[in-house]
Amino acid sequence: MSLPSPSYTSDKKSFAYDTVKIRWPKIIKGCIEDAQDYPQVIGDFEQLLKSFEADTKIAKFTQEEIKLNPDLLYYNENFVDCTWQNGPWLFLECYLYQVINNIFLKHQIIDFDVFNNLKQSTLVSSEFGITELCKKLSTFDFNLTDEVKYLYFKEFIDISLWGNSTDLSLLSGDVTLEDIKSIQGEEVRKQNEKNILVNDTNKVFDYLLTEDTKTEIDIILDNSGFELLSDIVLAIFLLETKAAERVNFHCKKIPWFVSDTLPKDFEELFKELSEFNNEYVDEFITNAKGLLRDGKLSIKVNKFWTLSNPFWDLPKFDIYNDLKNSKLLIFKGDLNYRKLTNDLWWDKTTPFDVAIQDLAKANLPIMTLRTCKADVVVGLAEGVDEKLREVSGEFWAASGKYAVISFFKP
Ligand code: F6P
Ligand code: MG
């Protein structure tokens, strides 16, 4: 089967075009502002900005860089000879975050999250949504019939799904903090239901009820802050309703796509939340910390999530050993979806199991919770794309207004 082409940064019909022209320079300028304590890195960031403007060719990572970070070898293996403004979007964007990380490594600055300020300031603005959510969890009676359990499962899935639309990297575009805040309220979530274009929630629920040999669920996390909170809430629901005996959170190894979760962001989240001085929020923190201590919740890191490889390659990496017995893999967010489908221009009616290619042979049950913020979408019914183009314009799939909950059962 011949595959469709990937989204390219030079393609005016792709959301990549604006990303590279407008958002990447903004993100780098933000790095310059937020790294003021490390004046030695500023020159490198200015150089990077210039290379965007001059649209120079990107280079393979050098031996010195690989010595500092052996993960970069995989980038050289998959290297695409291209420029910033004319190359495959997925590869270039992953490569960019490794370049940013390298700048700090080169100057022996370890464990500095240049996006930390941005991550935190947005969490504070989510106070309303967070208090609402913690109160719901606190007053919850987990003794439920399957019928009622399904209704709540759907709700917690929805919360985690729309938690993904609080993507901080979108703040470099036209989205305001007010927009983000409004997405988190219960009312807004209900209205958004019709915007979930593929919704396999019931299939996942039925599967979880019948699969009783496997005990662990894995959440491949996306963003920190409100989204992470919504994912911890979902995990607690899965534990309490006995869908899983343990839930593993998979984090990023390096600062990634601005807002992605690093292991330390759990502590950051708890610290920030404790400043709300709200009894329900405090109860949530104590509960989550206890579950982490007891190993009912676990935090994992693996290089695979910060490579440029599509998830089609997952069975070739050591992470596969960790995941192959998982009851369910929940992939959060837009970038994870792009990697599942390799960011190709699939026809939007392509079945999900076709778009994940070799991953469909890996015997892994997969669920996506993704709000659409890029070009690729699959699994739609005939005519939906055409209709949405009329209603929301050519770039509907990058607007963040729509979502897909897809399920693949091997
Ligand atoms: O759409 C802009 C963008 O930065 C994409 O490049 C990327 O796929 C996405 O946002 C990140 O979103 P998420 O945090 O949901 O993966
Ligand atoms: Mg992200």
Side-chain angles (χ1 to χ4, degrees), residues 194-239:
K194 63 179 184 315
N195 293 347
I196 304 175
L197 306 172
V198 176
N199 197 340
D200 290 340
T201 306
N202 57 347
K203 292 185 193 153
V204 178
F205 183 76
D206 290 346
Y207 161 75
L208 290 176
L209 280 186
T210 50
E211 167 54 71
D212 51 12
T213 53
K214 296 176 176 172
T215 54
E216 297 190 21
I217 291 181
D218 290 83
I219 304 183
I220 323 307
L221 292 174
D222 185 9
N223 303 312
S224 59
F226 184 79
E227 181 170 0
L228 175 59
L229 173 97
S230 72
D231 296 337
I232 301 176
V233 169
L234 174 63
I236 294 177
F237 178 82
L238 293 171
L239 290 175

Side-chain angles (χ1 to χ4, degrees), residues 30-226:
C31 289
I32 293 175
E33 271 173 35
D34 285 340
Q36 289 301 332
D37 287 346
Y38 299 106
Q40 64 271 44
V41 302
I42 306 300
D44 289 343
F45 278 114
E46 280 166 353
Q47 203 52 45
L48 182 57
L49 266 182
K50 279 192 197 137
S51 79
F52 289 167
E53 273 158 34
D55 194 23
T56 53
K57 274 193 167 190
I58 60 161
K60 280 195 174 180
F61 291 109
T62 63
Q63 285 312 313
E64 266 161 53
E65 287 170 318
I66 291 168
K67 220 189 261 170
L68 292 171
N69 177 7
D71 299 353
L72 300 177
L73 259 179
Y74 296 96
Y75 281 80
N76 283 2
E77 257 174 33
N78 296 318
F79 191 77
V80 187
D81 192 21
C82 63
T83 66
W84 290 111
Q85 297 187 36
N86 187 12
W89 183 19
L90 178 61
F91 177 80
L92 277 171
E93 205 162 25
C94 294
Y95 173 92
L96 171 64
Y97 285 90
Q98 290 287 357
V99 168
I100 295 172
N101 186 52
N102 267 357
I103 292 178
F104 291 102
L105 286 186
K106 202 173 90 183
H107 293 281
Q108 284 102 43
I109 302 163
I110 315 286
D111 287 341
F112 174 66
D113 180 3
V114 66
F115 304 119
N116 206 41
N117 273 347
L118 195 48
K119 281 173 168 175
Q120 298 206 354
S121 50
T122 312
L123 181 60
V124 173
S125 71
S126 306
E127 189 163 347
F128 170 74
I130 289 173
T131 314
E132 192 186 25
L133 198 51
C134 293
K135 188 170 171 192
K136 187 181 251 349
L137 200 62
S138 164
T139 51
F140 206 83
D141 177 3
F142 289 98
N143 232 334
L144 308 166
T145 62
D146 284 349
E147 213 173 308
V148 180
K149 206 191 276 180
Y150 172 63
L151 294 177
Y152 282 115
F153 178 70
K154 207 163 142 276
E155 181 161 3
F156 283 104
I157 286 289
D158 267 13
I159 294 169
S160 167
L161 169 74
W162 294 112
N164 175 251
S165 60
T166 61
D167 173 29
L168 302 184
S169 66
L170 279 172
L171 284 175
S172 302
D174 296 329
V175 179
T176 65
L177 281 178
E178 273 313 303
D179 290 338
I180 284 181
K181 213 155 67 178
S182 72
I183 288 165
Q184 295 161 358
E186 197 166 351
E187 274 309 303
V188 185
R189 263 194 328 268
K190 283 198 180 128
Q191 288 161 21
N192 279 341
E193 189 97 26
K194 63 179 184 315
N195 293 347
I196 304 175
L197 306 172
V198 176
N199 197 340
D200 290 340
T201 306
N202 57 347
K203 292 185 193 153
V204 178
F205 183 76
D206 290 346
Y207 161 75
L208 290 176
L209 280 186
T210 50
E211 167 54 71
D212 51 12
T213 53
K214 296 176 176 172
T215 54
E216 297 190 21
I217 291 181
D218 290 83
I219 304 183
I220 323 307
L221 292 174
D222 185 9
N223 303 312
S224 59
F226 184 79

Side-chain angles (χ1 to χ4, degrees), residues 1-5 197-198 200 312 337 340-357 360 370 375-386 396 404 406-408:
M1 167 192 185
S2 77
L3 295 173
S5 53
L197 306 172
V198 176
D200 290 340
W312 307 353
Y337 190 89
L340 284 165
T341 55
N342 205 0
D343 216 25
L344 304 188
W345 281 105
W346 294 103
D347 185 290
K348 292 188 168 41
T349 59
T350 308
F352 182 63
D353 60 344
V354 173
I356 62 174
Q357 291 282 301
R370 181 243 190 168
D375 305 324
V376 59
V377 185
V378 297
L380 300 191
E382 287 290 344
V384 172
D385 181 26
E386 291 75 4
W396 70 261
V404 278
S406 297
F407 179 48
F408 169 74

Side-chain angles (χ1 to χ4, degrees), residues 164 167 169 222-223 227 252 256-261 333-335 373:
N164 175 251
D167 173 29
S169 66
D222 185 9
N223 303 312
E227 181 170 0
K252 301 301 189 300
W256 193 246
F257 284 70
V258 182
S259 39
D260 278 33
T261 306
D334 191 73
L335 178 65
K373 300 175 221 161

